[in-house]
Amino acid sequence: MDKEILKNTSLDKELMGDDTYLRLRQITNDILKQAANDNAELAQIIDKAVDNLLKNTNLSAKLQRMFRKCMLNTITSTLVQKQDDSAFLFTGDIPAMWLRDSGGQLRVFINLDDPSGKLYDVIGAVIRQQFRYILLDPYTNAFNFAADGNCWSAIDQSERQNPWSWERKYELDSLCFPVELAYFYWKQTKRTDLFDDDFLAAVREVIRVFRTEQHHEERSEYFFIRDNGVEQDTLPNEGRGTAVGYTGMIWSGFRPSDDACEYGYLLPANMFAVVILGYLQEIINAFYPAENELLATITELRTQVEEGIAQFGIVEHPTYGAIYAYEVDGLGNYNLMDDTGVPSLLSLPYIKYCETDDPIYQNTRRFSLSAANRYYFEGKAAKGLGSPHTPPGYVWHMGLAIQGLTSTEICECQELLALFETTDAGTDLTHEGFLADDPSVYTREWFSWSNSIFCEFILKEIGKLRL
């Protein structure tokens, strides 16, 4: 069985090594054995919803098949309904539940009608689990199924240990995704049961971290060191990150790719924070009207972050004009690039920060999708946004989907649909990155978040995207 698994993993086993890859798969198998239900009923609900969505569409048979398989993949292969009525959603071939990824994995399903209510029940269970995790440790980006001490790397050093923590890479966006999912869940399903005392306690914890990390060097105790020789896996300066000055923005140790930030103020993540702080203002007003002090803090924080973005985050590019930097440090340094991981600069309309016709966004988009961005790659089979998280020359399916979701050009979207048809390596699923010269070479054979964003792109193209 191990030999069969290793034969079908493309580049994954080369990057991880056989022992690590098999260790992760064994943990995954152990988790799946503990599922309270096998998700077959949910799969039938989704399959029927897909039938209705695909009626009278002009999608090719290949794209219809991919859409169906990717929609079913998350529910049938990454969702574990636990015995205590909570739920765990792991990212795919890594047996942990990312706060970020789990939000991105489920966002597409809120676009579906669910007369039975059973799909919405499970989504609500995952959201409640996300906020329980935040209360356990808001600096952890990915969590274990149980308090069993499983982890990505046993050599990690941080200011606290947590047996629930798979990896303790503090990422600002990780605290934004659960709020986004809860907000969309409320708006689309009209359910309000999420907004209890535990939710409020978790929101307080999120705001506490945001306020602390506005003043990272003076107030934060957080550090992270992984001494494995991989620069992007650890933070410099004894795990504290490069020096920053106050900007009003919120510091982040790592990017959505789980790679270390070059400079601590990650612009896409701060833009996402502005968006979800607006969602929290609406939630507090609606469900916690007595929380005047908390509402005032959220409002002040949102204003400070917005002002920081405007003052420090816009750079004049000689070719593209005024664009957003990817990262800044508040001391005059900035990093001009874009990375596939959401939130990215390319994804700003997708995360609801701005409209697609916003002039600075359009300038930034042209930069992001050009050779001026060192993580944009073109090859014999594809061109698109990649990431320093994968080898040079690898295009990400997630980046292609976000490009389509934020595009208003029919021809561009048709070209992107054609790329999905020809770069899946015959699997009918998306991957993380694939070699732009040869899509049969790829990373992450099983990457649920990428599958879900592809499905959102399909929903947009057939006129069924609600969010």
Side-chain angles (χ1 to χ4, degrees), residues 32 35 37-47 50 68-81 87-90 102 105-110 112 118-123 126 446 448-449 451-452:
L32 289 172
N37 299 297
D38 65 3
N39 299 322
E41 186 177 10
L42 291 176
Q44 291 177 352
I45 292 170
I46 292 166
D47 208 38
V50 169
R68 186 182 301 274
K69 189 170 181 179
C70 287
M71 285 292 286
L72 289 168
N73 176 267
T74 292
I75 298 301
T76 59
S77 68
T78 67
L79 172 68
V80 179
Q81 299 180 61
F88 183 85
L89 195 72
F90 53 91
S102 57
Q105 285 166 260
L106 290 181
R107 175 172 158 156
V108 66
F109 294 101
I110 298 178
L112 304 185
K118 293 178 180 178
L119 177 60
Y120 293 161
D121 287 345
V122 170
I123 294 173
V126 173
W446 181 17
S448 178
W449 185 23
N451 290 332
S452 292

Side-chain angles (χ1 to χ4, degrees), residues 39 73 99 139 145 185 187 239 291 340 412 415 419 453:
N39 299 322
N73 176 267
L99 291 177
Y139 284 91
F145 181 79
Y185 180 81
K187 290 297 183 178
E291 296 294 333
T340 292
E412 181 180 18
E415 290 174 2
L419 277 180
I453 293 184

Side-chain angles (χ1 to χ4, degrees), residues 288-306:
Y288 308 98
E291 296 294 333
N292 295 320
E293 185 176 347
L294 177 60
L295 180 60
T297 299
I298 291 170
T299 302
E300 179 185 47
L301 179 57
R302 187 169 189 249
T303 298
Q304 290 170 345
V305 176
E306 284 186 298

Side-chain angles (χ1 to χ4, degrees), residues 136-241:
L136 284 170
D137 183 4
Y139 284 91
T140 286
N141 59 319
F143 290 85
N144 289 315
F145 181 79
D148 51 24
N150 283 329
C151 60
W152 175 258
S153 174
I155 64 171
D156 292 355
Q157 302 173 53
S158 197
E159 83 280 5
R160 62 177 285 192
Q161 300 297 316
N162 184 346
W164 287 95
S165 182
W166 172 263
E167 187 175 58
R168 202 164 188 267
K169 289 180 172 178
Y170 162 65
E171 299 159 349
L172 170 56
D173 66 272
S174 287
L175 295 176
C176 296
F177 274 95
V179 176
E180 179 194 58
L181 187 63
Y183 179 81
F184 288 156
Y185 180 81
W186 166 40
K187 290 297 183 178
Q188 293 296 318
T189 70
K190 309 305 179 187
R191 295 187 177 196
T192 62
D193 54 295
L194 292 178
F195 304 117
D196 55 15
D197 289 344
D198 287 343
F199 181 90
L200 181 61
V203 169
R204 291 186 184 281
E205 190 68 355
V206 168
I207 299 305
R208 181 190 68 80
V209 172
F210 284 5
R211 293 297 298 269
T212 298
E213 296 305 334
Q214 282 184 296
H215 306 271
H216 172 69
E217 296 196 0
E218 297 83 10
R219 301 181 185 176
S220 178
E221 297 179 355
Y222 174 79
F223 72 91
F224 183 87
I225 298 171
R226 179 179 291 167
D227 191 13
N228 64 350
V230 180
E231 184 178 3
Q232 66 199 36
D233 261 0
T234 191
L235 294 177
N237 189 25
E238 298 181 333
R240 299 280 296 166

Side-chain angles (χ1 to χ4, degrees), residues 7 24 26 168 172 214 231 240 248 310 335 345 348 361-362 365-366 373 395 437:
K7 186 174 72 176
L24 302 189
Q26 184 58 57
R168 202 164 188 267
L172 170 56
Q214 282 184 296
E231 184 178 3
R240 299 280 296 166
N335 180 11
L345 294 174
L348 296 184
Y361 171 73
Q362 280 296 320
R365 178 185 181 87
R366 287 192 290 271
N373 173 19
V395 170
D437 283 332

Side-chain angles (χ1 to χ4, degrees), residues 25-42:
R25 291 301 292 263
Q26 184 58 57
I27 297 172
T28 299
N29 291 338
D30 291 343
I31 291 172
L32 289 172
K33 291 175 183 176
Q34 300 179 62
N37 299 297
D38 65 3
N39 299 322
E41 186 177 10
L42 291 176

